[in-house]
Amino acid sequence: SAWKSTKVQECELSYLTSDQIHDLLSELQKGKNRHAAMVTKVCLATGARWSEAESLEARHILNDQIQFAGTKSGKIRSIPVNTELAQELRSHHIKAETGQRLFAPCYSAFRDAIERSGIKLQNGQLTHVLRHTFASHFMMNGGNILVLQRSLGHANLTMTMRYAHLAPDHLQEVVKLNPLSALTLG
């Protein structure tokens, strides 16, 4: 047939708990690389990929928004952040050190902090755990799946739906919105 069903194998997505996030940020602050903690915060606050966050330039912080260019989809997306983080990013930037870029490379500093904190991750999940953590906590805190899709920059909902089951009221609308619930059965 012309239509072939493609089944996407769901892999277990690991995400960090609030305690693990705290421990990781603490380890990153202790490390020698001053950029790793900030890149981690950007990823946790926006759901950005490590490479998107690490390559940010000063001009990408506009008011209280971070603009991500050079994304996997090729589209530019702007994600709002709280004023404190935007200010912290602006004051973090030292032109003499990194030029227009906000951060120097810091992937290995992140890897070292994960190891020091004792956090065990699945293979291939190193920095990507931050993106999964953003998405998972966003849904567990009652976030809208369409807002999550736009935040992550997914072209369609298929990828984003991996997080839907984490919503506290996942599928609960079925109880209220099915046609039988509107009938008064006597």
Side-chain angles (χ1 to χ4, degrees):
S1 74
W3 284 94
K4 277 208 163 136
S5 171
T6 56
K7 190 170 185 177
V8 177
Q9 183 62 44
E10 285 190 22
C11 63
E12 191 181 333
L13 300 173
S14 51
Y15 61 87
L16 304 176
T17 64
S18 295
D19 286 345
Q20 287 174 317
I21 293 168
H22 182 270
D23 293 349
L24 176 59
L25 288 172
S26 175
E27 281 301 328
L28 286 163
Q29 302 287 5
K30 290 181 209 166
K32 290 182 206 71
N33 187 311
R34 71 179 203 89
H35 302 282
M38 289 303 301
V39 174
T40 299
K41 285 183 181 182
V42 169
C43 292
L44 289 171
T46 65
R49 293 173 184 86
W50 185 269
S51 59
E52 294 170 342
E54 197 182 48
S55 62
L56 282 171
E57 296 182 3
R59 64 189 172 92
H60 294 133
I61 312 301
L62 305 164
N63 303 317
D64 291 346
Q65 294 208 352
I66 299 177
Q67 189 177 69
F68 295 99
T71 61
K72 197 171 168 184
S73 68
K75 293 187 168 65
I76 293 172
R77 67 181 193 279
S78 291
I79 308 293
V81 293
N82 69 34
T83 304
E84 293 77 27
L85 181 58
Q87 188 53 50
E88 199 177 348
L89 287 166
R90 278 191 283 276
S91 59
H92 176 88
H93 183 232
I94 299 170
K95 272 190 180 145
E97 183 187 359
T98 55
Q100 288 308 304
R101 288 183 61 146
L102 286 177
F103 311 113
C106 50
Y107 180 88
S108 58
F110 178 80
R111 184 187 56 232
D112 295 346
I114 286 280
E115 286 174 16
R116 288 194 312 272
S117 65
I119 296 170
K120 299 283 179 245
L121 299 174
Q122 295 171 308
N123 286 344
Q125 283 258 313
L126 189 60
T127 56
H128 219 62
V129 74
L130 301 174
R131 192 165 160 85
H132 293 315
T133 299
F134 165 82
S136 300
H137 283 258
F138 182 88
M139 290 308 296
M140 289 186 291
N141 291 326
N144 176 304
I145 195 82
L146 295 175
V147 172
L148 180 60
Q149 177 194 356
R150 293 198 51 202
S151 300
L152 295 175
H154 289 158
N156 60 52
L157 258 182
T158 307
M159 289 289 285
T160 319
M161 286 304 291
R162 302 184 296 178
Y163 303 103
H165 71 282
L166 295 169
D169 56 352
H170 180 60
L171 299 180
Q172 283 304 304
E173 287 177 292
V174 171
V175 177
K176 294 188 297 243
L177 302 179
N178 75 68
L180 201 56
S181 70
L183 298 177
T184 50
L185 301 173

